[in-house]
Amino acid sequence: MRTIRIIPCLDVDEGRVVKGVRFLDLVDAGDPSKLARAYDEEGADELVFLDITASSGNREIILDVVERTASQVFIPLTVGGGIRTVEDARKILRNGADKVAINSQAVARPALISEIAGEFGSQCVVVAIDAKHVLNGSGDISDQNSWEVYVKGGRVPTAIDVLKWATECQERGAGELLITSMDRDGTKAGYDIDLMREISSLVTVPIIASGGVGEPEDFLIGAREGKADGLLAASVFHFGECSISQVKKYLLDNEIMVRL
Amino acid sequence: MLAVIDYKIGNLQSAQKAFEFLGAKSCLTSDIQVIERASGIVLPGVGAFGKCMDSLEQSGLIPHILKQIARGVPFLGICIGFQLLFESSEESPGKAGLGVIDGKVVKLPAGEKCPQMQWNRLSVLDPTNRLFTGIDTGSWMYFVHSYFPKPTKQECVIATCDYGTTVVSAVDCNNVFGVQFHPEKSGQNGLRLLSNFVDLCE
C-alpha cells in the first residue's frame, strides 16, 4: 500500500523560524521546536528544517534546535543547509535528525552523496534539487520537458539538466529526492506536475514535490498526476491557509491514502 | 536499566531519545558490564546488513548480547537491528547474521518504490501480545527499508504490513522481539510500543 506523506517545511535562520507563522496560538511561533510539535499534533508525517543561516559562525545553532526538537517530536526529521562534509552530516544526525538534505554542495562535489550514503545509508540522504524551465531568447519556455538545476538558494544557474542530475543522484546513493520548482515557488499555482512526473518515471527512490502549492487540490494533483510520494509545503501551512488535517481529509476523500 | 547498543554506526540516538522521553532508565552503551546487567537490550540501527554486521562484530559485543538473550533478558531489534537477528540477507550475500531467529532477509518485491519510505498500517496478528498492548490493528507506523525478514517459523510473526506483498513487520520469539518499522519515529503508536517493551523488561 502506497501512502503519501504530508511534509511541512520550516526555514530556520540562526535558530528562528523565518517567514511569519500565523497559525495556532503559540506563545513563541518563531521557535522551530515548538512549531514542530504543533505540526506533529496536527498530523504532519515528517518535518523538514532548512537552515538558511548565512553566517558560517552561527551554523552550530541549528544543532541545538535539532536536538531540542528530536527530544520531543517522534516523527522523521530532515535537516538541510550548510552540509559540506560527512562530518557536518554526522553532527546533524547525532543531534537527532533522521536525514540530511544536500543541494548546492552535492552539485559542487557529487561524491558527497555517496560519501554520506556510504557512512549512514542511503535512507539518510535527501538530495534537494531546485529546478527551473530553460527560457529562450524571448523569455518563453523553450522546452516544456526540460529544466535546469539552480544552486545557492536558486540564485545561480548551472546549465545541468535536472532529469540527468536526478538520475545521477540516485545512482550515487540518494535515498530520496526533494524537487522544488522555482517557476512555481511562491505562485500558489500548484506543483510543476510535468517536472514531478518526469522525475518519478526516471527514478525508483521516493520523490518529494515542492513549490507552488496553494490549495488542497494542488496536493491531490501532486500525488495523483505528479506521482510524488511526499508533498511538501511551507506558507500554506504557516499562514493557516489550509491545515494538514484538511489536506489529508481531502486526499482520503479522493482515494489517495494518507495517515490519519 | 535498558542498554541501547552503541555499535558505531550512524543514527543510533533516536531510540535512546524516545526512551528518555518516556522516562525509562536507558543508555546508549558499548560497555560490556552495562549490557550484562541490563534489564533489557535494544539493538537499533539503519544502514546495510553487511556493514552493520561488520560494526557489530568489531564492537566485540556479540557474545555478550547472545549470552543475555540466552538468559531470557528481553531484547528488541529495530529495523536493521531486527534483520541482524536472522541467518543471512539478500542485501549482503555471504555475510552471516546473528542467527538468533531461523530465516533470511529478502528484498521488497519489484514493482513497488524501493525503499519503502512511508507510514504504513500494521495488521496485528496477535492482539494479546504484550508488545502491542494499546496498539490496535490498523495503527500507523513509519517504515524505511528495502529488505524484510522471512522467519522460517511463521508462528513468531505478530504483525505484518502490506507493501506489494505481506511484509513481516514484528516478531516475538520468546524474549526476542523485532520490529521492521521505527517505533522511535512513529509518533504516539511507536512511543506506546517502546513503553510496552520497557514494561516487559521490569
Side-chain angles (χ1 to χ4, degrees), chain A residues 1-3 5 45-46 67 70-71 74-76 94 97-99 118 120 123 176 204-205 229 258-259, chain B residues 10-11 13-14 17-18 21 46 51 113-114 117-120 140 142 144 162-163 184-187 191:
Chain A
M1 183 179 58
R2 180 164 168 263
T3 311
R5 290 169 282 150
D45 294 312
E46 198 164 326
E67 207 281 324
S71 305
F74 296 95
I75 59 174
R94 267 228 179 109
D98 300 286
K99 311 177 200 175
F120 307 109
Q123 81 294 328
E176 188 165 61
T204 58
V205 295
D229 304 284
V258 289
R259 173 182 73 119
Chain B
N11 216 5
Q13 285 73 15
S14 296
K17 279 184 191 292
F21 179 81
V46 289
K51 192 170 179 195
K113 284 252 178 170
C114 191
M117 190 185 282
Q118 63 168 18
W119 294 78
N120 206 336
W140 292 94
Y142 185 73
V144 182
D162 173 25
Y163 196 69
E184 75 283 12
K185 288 289 157 186
S186 295
L191 289 172

Side-chain angles (χ1 to χ4, degrees), chain A residues 12-49:
Chain A
V12 181
D13 185 10
E14 302 201 357
R16 305 287 298 169
V17 178
V18 293
K19 289 185 183 171
V21 176
R22 280 196 285 177
F23 89 117
L24 299 171
D25 294 327
L26 289 177
V27 178
D28 183 1
D31 179 348
S33 66
K34 287 211 170 69
L35 261 179
R37 222 153 86 183
Y39 279 130
D40 173 28
E41 280 164 15
E42 235 208 282
D45 294 312
E46 198 164 326
L47 294 164
V48 173
F49 284 178

Side-chain angles (χ1 to χ4, degrees), chain B residues 2 41-42 74-76 131 193-201:
Chain B
L2 283 181
I41 295 175
V42 179
F75 176 99
L76 177 65
L131 203 58
L193 185 140
L194 294 175
S195 160
N196 289 341
F197 181 73
V198 172
D199 288 346
L200 64 85
C201 291

Side-chain angles (χ1 to χ4, degrees), chain A residues 84-232:
Chain A
R84 294 164 180 272
T85 63
V86 167
E87 283 316 302
D88 291 340
R90 188 190 310 278
K91 280 188 204 161
I92 296 277
L93 295 170
R94 267 228 179 109
N95 280 272
D98 300 286
K99 311 177 200 175
V100 292
I102 51 177
N103 188 335
S104 306
Q105 293 302 322
V107 174
R109 201 171 64 80
L112 181 60
I113 302 170
S114 42
E115 286 169 13
I116 300 176
E119 190 68 22
F120 307 109
S122 284
Q123 81 294 328
C124 278
V125 188
V126 182
V127 178
I129 302 176
D130 291 340
K132 196 174 179 195
H133 268 121
V134 180
L135 301 181
N136 61 22
S138 42
D140 298 322
I141 293 171
S142 49
D143 177 353
Q144 275 302 337
N145 288 325
S146 172
W147 297 264
E148 180 179 0
V149 176
Y150 276 64
V151 294
K152 307 279 174 198
R155 292 188 301 273
V156 181
T158 63
I160 297 169
D161 177 70
V162 165
L163 303 182
K164 277 194 193 128
W165 176 234
T167 312
E168 183 179 346
C169 290
Q170 169 168 295
E171 282 164 1
R172 286 181 180 272
E176 188 165 61
L177 303 177
L178 165 51
I179 312 294
T180 301
S181 162
M182 292 176 49
D183 300 302
R184 295 299 178 92
D185 206 19
T187 64
K188 299 201 190 317
Y191 295 117
D192 184 338
I193 296 305
D194 293 335
L195 172 65
M196 304 307 160
R197 192 173 38 216
E198 286 292 322
I199 295 178
S200 288
S201 68
L202 275 178
V203 300
T204 58
V205 295
I207 76 159
I208 301 173
S210 157
V213 74
E215 56 180 1
E217 197 184 358
D218 295 332
F219 290 90
L220 175 64
I221 297 170
R224 190 184 273 165
E225 294 172 30
K227 309 281 180 204
D229 304 284
L231 302 168
L232 181 141

